Amino acid sequence: MTTPTDTTTPHLQDLVQTVHKNLKHLADWSSLVIHSSPSFPRPLITGLPPDPVYIDPDSASTYNAEDKNSPERSQHEWVLPVDLREKWTLRKWAQMFDSLPEGYWGESGGKVRGKRILLAVVSDDSTVVHYVVHDGIVKPRQN
Amino acid sequence: MASQWGVVEPFPIYLVKSRYFLYDANVVSHVRASHRMCGCLTGTLPQIPQQNVFLGLPLELMTEEAALLVEKGAGYIVNDIQAHSQGLKSMLEADKAAYLEAREAESIREMQALQKAAEERRKAFRTPKPASLKDNDGEEEETGEEGKIRDGEEDKVGATVFETDTAKTKLSNAVDPAPPSTLRYYPVPATSEALYHALPTSPGLLEARVLEPAPSETSYPLYKHLHEHNYFLSPGLRFGCQFMAYPGDPLRFHSHFVVTGLGWDEEIEMRDVVGGGRLGTGVKKAWMVGGENKDKPGEVRTFCVEWGGF
């Protein structure tokens, strides 16, 4: 299921390239890096979004969007490219999160935050939609 | 150990056709305050059964709630129908006779009151005899033969406005006392538990475990996991999910998550993940999916999905 050969299939390479281009040119992300380590079930992308993808609702009132040095601003995000036609299971999600490096994942609202990834779903018309997936019970942000 | 509401655990949870009910308001309060379970009020007004805005007792519990209460030893399941018919059967003859006697006495009292009220109404109608009516009487006497014929008719009919002395006596006889069976009111105690229900001595039934609720394997571990993290859960069909998860009492908080339980290897379409994310974000919540790790029994993994925002 998570053999290293998976990461080299042309299908996955295409998927990663599509999402990478989308993030770089459309969503204006910076510091984009593609990780195709065999420890991951498939190639992943990390990068820095122009705006934080998640702000803890408890710190939403103190968060200052102008402050370029706030901890929320410097959070690099992991991006998981998937095809719309794929089917996932809880087991695959869990393996995905467990393969991500352990340790310090940054802070959110003064609290050390857990793991999260950005799910980039690619449709066959090359539309890409992004969904934040948190590992564990995480309060929804304030919209 | 009785709680603040005088509830002693384990308390009975009534099972009717695979649905679980609580009939006692004190138990409902206790379950909400001590066990973080709200259930659903299902009772409506017999006269206006369509209205569903103000519902009351009984409280229906989700299967998961009933299962967790039994698992905690806080409640035990009673098969309501069986307990009811058993209770009726085991009612003592003397009790039954006393109850029927009381019912009979009450209906006779009711009947007499009804009769008395009718009598009084009639009296009130007759006593202030207006002058015009007296004139009528005089005319009748004068007409002689015709008047007598009319009297005869009145005898048969029983009552008309023009009453003679003979008709008056006939009239009071004509109102038969209503037979007790037609009376609509019988005194029935407000709670039937003590009267009709044969409640098993609690620990015995807990050991039997015959009636233990069997909730879905995909949703129960997730339900329990969230419950242990101090969430209140309510049924989520109205919101397009399995459970709604509130961070505290639903009267004080908005819910945080729309929750769907999955099996560990149950496949989910990407389109459903996107749809779930949209569903949650659209109502300022997160869509949560989760289930029990089959490789590590007891461990529950949950994932919260929100729209990325761009």
Side-chain angles (χ1 to χ4, degrees):
Chain A
M1 204 183 304
T2 56
T3 51
T5 48
D6 275 354
T7 61
T8 55
T9 61
H11 165 65
L12 283 174
Q13 291 299 335
D14 281 353
L15 211 55
V16 170
Q17 285 309 319
T18 309
V19 173
H20 185 271
K21 281 199 181 74
N22 180 274
L23 289 173
K24 189 174 179 185
H25 300 296
L26 199 74
D28 207 19
W29 281 38
S30 51
S31 327
L32 285 165
V33 180
I34 296 176
H35 304 263
S36 23
S37 149
S39 61
F40 298 135
R42 63 170 64 189
L44 298 175
I45 304 169
T46 54
L48 191 62
D51 292 306
V53 295
Y54 176 83
I55 296 160
D56 192 281
D58 294 335
S59 69
S61 53
T62 56
Y63 168 69
N64 179 9
E66 303 301 317
D67 181 10
K68 300 278 177 215
N69 299 318
S70 69
E72 282 88 356
R73 283 253 161 183
S74 53
Q75 302 262 304
H76 284 251
E77 300 294 335
W78 287 82
V79 183
L80 167 70
V82 293
D83 191 284
L84 182 61
R85 288 161 294 189
E86 281 179 51
K87 283 178 182 161
W88 278 64
T89 62
L90 290 181
R91 183 192 294 277
K92 277 170 88 175
W93 288 116
Q95 281 170 347
M96 183 69 242
F97 276 108
D98 292 345
S99 76
L100 293 176
E102 299 293 331
Y104 183 69
W105 271 67
E107 272 176 34
S108 185
K111 292 174 280 186
V112 175
R113 73 168 176 86
K115 293 178 181 179
R116 68 163 172 251
I117 54 168
L118 204 67
L119 184 72
V121 186
V122 183
S123 143
D124 50 10
D125 65 359
S126 81
T127 307
V128 186
V129 290
H130 299 272
Y131 284 83
V132 185
V133 181
H134 300 275
D135 186 17
I137 305 172
V138 179
K139 261 200 233 181
R141 62 166 187 249
Q142 274 183 336
N143 290 304
Chain B
M1 179 194 72
S3 77
Q4 168 185 0
W5 291 274
V7 177
V8 180
E9 290 188 355
F11 48 79
I13 299 167
Y14 296 94
L15 170 70
V16 184
K17 302 263 176 202
S18 73
R19 296 166 77 180
Y20 300 90
F21 293 101
L22 296 177
Y23 296 146
D24 189 336
N26 290 323
V27 177
V28 170
S29 306
H30 171 71
V31 159
R32 186 167 185 138
S34 317
H35 297 288
R36 300 189 294 283
M37 290 177 192
C38 293
C40 274
L41 288 168
T42 52
T44 185
L45 301 168
Q47 301 284 333
I48 328 163
Q50 303 97 315
Q51 77 89 21
N52 57 5
V53 183
F54 304 107
L55 295 174
L57 293 174
L59 183 95
E60 184 177 350
L61 293 171
M62 290 191 284
T63 313
E64 288 83 5
E65 289 173 327
L68 192 59
L69 284 173
V70 170
E71 195 182 306
K72 281 178 170 179
Y76 61 97
I77 307 295
V78 174
N79 185 332
D80 202 5
I81 298 167
Q82 205 186 317
H84 178 80
S85 49
Q86 229 173 47
L88 272 186
K89 260 184 235 151
S90 63
M91 235 168 126
L92 285 175
E93 266 323 300
D95 287 345
K96 211 181 278 179
Y99 173 68
L100 288 175
E101 210 166 86
R103 199 172 77 161
E104 182 77 17
E106 181 66 31
S107 55
I108 287 170
R109 209 176 318 133
E110 187 84 355
M111 181 189 74
Q112 282 167 344
L114 212 76
Q115 236 173 334
K116 207 175 157 197
E119 198 76 44
E120 257 155 33
R121 269 205 308 279
R122 204 175 307 123
K123 228 179 259 170
F125 176 71
R126 259 180 321 200
T127 37
K129 250 191 178 169
S132 61
L133 215 79
K134 265 184 183 164
D135 285 353
N136 258 357
D137 280 358
E139 272 171 33
E140 271 176 22
E141 270 165 23
E142 277 164 34
T143 45
E145 278 294 299
E146 272 181 46
K148 268 174 193 161
I149 292 166
R150 210 186 268 178
D151 277 1
E153 279 171 356
E154 276 174 9
D155 282 357
K156 279 174 208 157
V157 175
T160 63
V161 184
F162 306 105
E163 290 168 353
T164 58
D165 281 338
T166 48
K168 269 178 204 162
T169 52
K170 287 271 154 70
L171 193 67
S172 53
N173 289 341
V175 183
D176 289 330
S181 61
T182 60
L183 285 171
R184 276 167 300 168
Y185 171 76
Y186 296 112
V188 175
T191 53
S192 65
E193 202 168 89
L195 255 184
Y196 301 131
H197 278 83
L199 286 181
T201 44
S202 41
L205 203 115
L206 274 174
E207 267 139 41
R209 300 221 158 215
V210 188
L211 287 168
E212 203 169 306
S216 142
E217 266 182 41
T218 55
S219 63
Y220 185 60
L222 181 60
Y223 172 86
K224 208 174 144 187
H225 178 74
L226 288 172
H227 179 86
E228 279 162 5
H229 282 80
N230 293 330
Y231 281 90
F232 277 68
L233 289 119
S234 68
L237 180 62
R238 281 184 292 174
F239 305 96
C241 59
Q242 250 175 335
F243 306 114
M244 301 292 290
Y246 296 82
D249 192 296
L251 283 176
R252 296 180 58 213
F253 294 94
H254 283 296
S255 68
H256 278 179
F257 304 108
V258 285
V259 184
T260 298
L262 280 184
W264 192 239
D265 285 309
E266 196 176 335
E267 287 190 326
I268 181 158
E269 296 252 1
M270 239 347 117
R271 203 182 288 280
D272 292 338
V273 175
V274 172
R278 278 285 168 171
L279 172 74
T281 307
V283 286
K284 300 191 176 190
K285 306 181 199 319
W287 181 69
M288 180 191 280
V289 64
E292 188 179 24
N293 187 343
K294 281 278 168 279
D295 305 331
K296 284 186 204 164
E299 190 200 64
V300 175
R301 291 293 288 259
T302 55
F303 306 106
C304 298
V305 182
E306 285 180 87
W307 180 49
F310 62 95

